[in-house]
Amino acid sequence: MGRTPCREKTGLKKGAWTPEEDKKLVAYITRYGHWNWRELPKFAGLSRCGKSCRLRWMNYLRPNIKIGNFSREEEEIIINMHQALGNKWATIAAKLPGRTDNEIKNHWHTNLRRKCLKQNLKLPESKPDTSSKQKLEFNTLLPSAQSVQTLESSSPLSPGPSLSDFSSSSTDSMFVTSRNWLGDEYSTVSSPDKFEELNGDFWTEPYMAGNSYIQENFQQTWVDPGIQFPLYPLFLEDYFCTYGSYEEDYMFN
DNA sequence: AAAACCGACAACCGCCCCGTC
DNA sequence: AGACGGGGCGGTTGTCGGTTT
C-alpha cells in the first residue's frame, strides 16, 4: 500500500522528550484532546511526528499512569497471562490498571523472563495460537481473587493494601520510586511520615502522574503561544468519558 | 581513575487492524 | 469491494546510569 512513513519530512525531532515538549503536549491534549495524532503536533507547536506524541502521551503523560516497581501480584498476572497469551502486551496491560504495554514489555524482558527461565517455567512460542484467544477467560489467569482485589484497590485512585510493594526494598522509601521521570527532580516521598501527610488527599484527589511536576509545570501552560486552536470541533466529551475527572481539574481550576 | 560491560528503560520503526469513503 | 488513512501493537534499537574489572 505504501503508507507514508511517520517522519516523511526531515526536521522532525527524535529522541528523548524535553520537559518543555511535555508541557506543550499535556497542555494541548488537556485542552483540546487528541483529535488527530498526525495533525496534533502542528497545532501543539511540536516538531515531532504524531506517533511519537501518541506514544509519549500514552506511556508517560496521560493521567493514571502508575509509576513505580511492579508488585508481586502484578508480576504473577504478567507471568500467567504471558504463558497463556504470549507477547500480547496490550492485552496484559489492560488487566493491570495504570500500567502500559511498553512498561510491561520492558519489565518482562529485563526481569520476568529471566525469573521464568530460572524456575523452568515454559515460555510460550513467539507466535501464540490466536485462534483460541477470544475464548480466554482472563480471570482464570489471575493468581487469585484476592490479588485482583488488591490490584483494583491499589489503582492510582486508592491506596490499596499493596503500597509497600511499590517501594524498593528499603523500608523508608515510599510508594513511588525516584525514577528520573521527565528527567527532572521528581517529587518522591521518602519517608512514612511524609506519606502520612499525603495520604489523605493524594488518593482522593484526581491522580496526576508525577503529581507535583505536572501540577507545578502544566497548569499554567494554558495560554501557551505555541498552541493553536484545532481545525476540528473539540472532542472534549469523548475525552471526559475517557479520562474522568482529571481534565475537569485541569480545565476548570 | 578509566574503560568495559551490563541492565533498565525510553523511544523508534514497521506492520497490521479497522473504520471510512 | 477495495483503497486509504489513522491508530494500535510488538519488536527492536539507542541511550544512560550503575557496576565490575
Side-chain angles (χ1 to χ4, degrees):
Chain A
M1 206 183 291
R3 296 193 48 168
T4 52
C6 177
R7 289 180 303 111
E8 68 274 14
K9 294 176 204 152
T10 54
L12 290 184
K13 203 181 162 199
K14 277 178 74 170
W17 280 66
T18 65
E20 280 308 308
E21 289 176 308
D22 283 340
K23 278 185 201 176
K24 284 183 180 177
L25 184 59
V26 169
Y28 187 88
I29 293 179
T30 45
R31 188 161 198 179
Y32 301 121
H34 43 78
W35 44 280
N36 180 321
W37 285 116
R38 189 169 280 241
E39 297 297 314
L40 186 147
K42 262 189 280 178
F43 292 95
L46 292 162
S47 36
R48 294 271 182 178
C49 78
K51 276 194 166 189
S52 183
C53 294
R54 179 189 159 272
L55 191 78
R56 185 66 184 168
W57 172 255
M58 290 299 190
N59 284 341
Y60 302 97
L61 300 176
R62 75 182 156 99
N64 299 335
I65 293 286
K66 193 190 277 183
I67 297 181
N69 298 339
F70 280 77
S71 69
R72 211 179 319 119
E73 287 84 5
E74 285 176 314
E75 290 191 341
E76 276 183 53
I77 290 171
I78 294 170
I79 290 168
N80 289 342
M81 291 186 76
H82 186 266
Q83 281 194 300
L85 297 170
N87 301 345
K88 294 288 173 188
W89 307 117
T91 313
I92 296 172
K95 273 291 162 185
L96 297 172
R99 300 296 187 185
T100 68
D101 53 352
N102 206 36
E103 195 180 9
I104 292 171
K105 181 170 58 183
N106 282 334
H107 189 61
W108 169 262
H109 286 303
T110 53
N111 292 287
L112 301 182
R113 192 166 191 279
R114 224 171 300 135
K115 269 188 197 175
C116 287
L117 290 172
K118 235 181 197 174
Q119 295 170 17
N120 289 325
L121 287 176
K122 184 173 173 288
L123 297 178
E125 301 294 322
S126 55
K127 291 272 180 186
D129 175 23
T130 51
S131 62
S132 60
K133 69 177 175 188
Q134 61 276 21
K135 294 178 216 147
L136 199 64
E137 178 53 60
F138 287 132
N139 287 340
T140 64
L141 303 171
L142 300 175
S144 66
Q146 197 184 1
S147 295
V148 180
Q149 178 90 30
T150 302
L151 272 178
E152 280 169 357
S153 59
S154 65
S155 75
L157 291 173
S158 64
S162 59
L163 275 174
S164 58
D165 289 323
F166 292 105
S167 67
S168 63
S169 55
S170 118
T171 52
D172 57 1
S173 62
M174 221 7 265
F175 56 101
V176 172
T177 62
S178 54
R179 171 160 107 185
N180 193 14
W181 194 74
L182 297 182
D184 229 339
E185 74 267 7
Y186 174 59
S187 77
T188 52
V189 184
S190 58
S191 73
D193 290 341
K194 287 188 180 171
F195 172 62
E196 283 303 319
E197 288 170 23
L198 269 179
N199 199 17
D201 286 340
F202 178 80
W203 296 107
T204 51
E205 293 292 324
Y207 177 77
M208 297 182 186
N211 239 353
S212 62
Y213 179 90
I214 288 182
Q215 271 181 325
E216 287 165 15
N217 294 287
F218 293 165
Q219 273 188 314
Q220 308 91 339
T221 60
W222 292 120
V223 207
D224 190 320
I227 293 179
Q228 295 174 38
F229 197 80
L231 293 171
Y232 297 89
L234 302 181
F235 296 120
L236 293 178
E237 199 178 323
D238 177 47
Y239 190 68
F240 283 146
C241 293
T242 312
Y243 297 118
S245 63
Y246 167 84
E247 49 291 312
E248 289 176 42
D249 251 53
Y250 272 134
M251 308 279 302
F252 306 117
N253 269 351

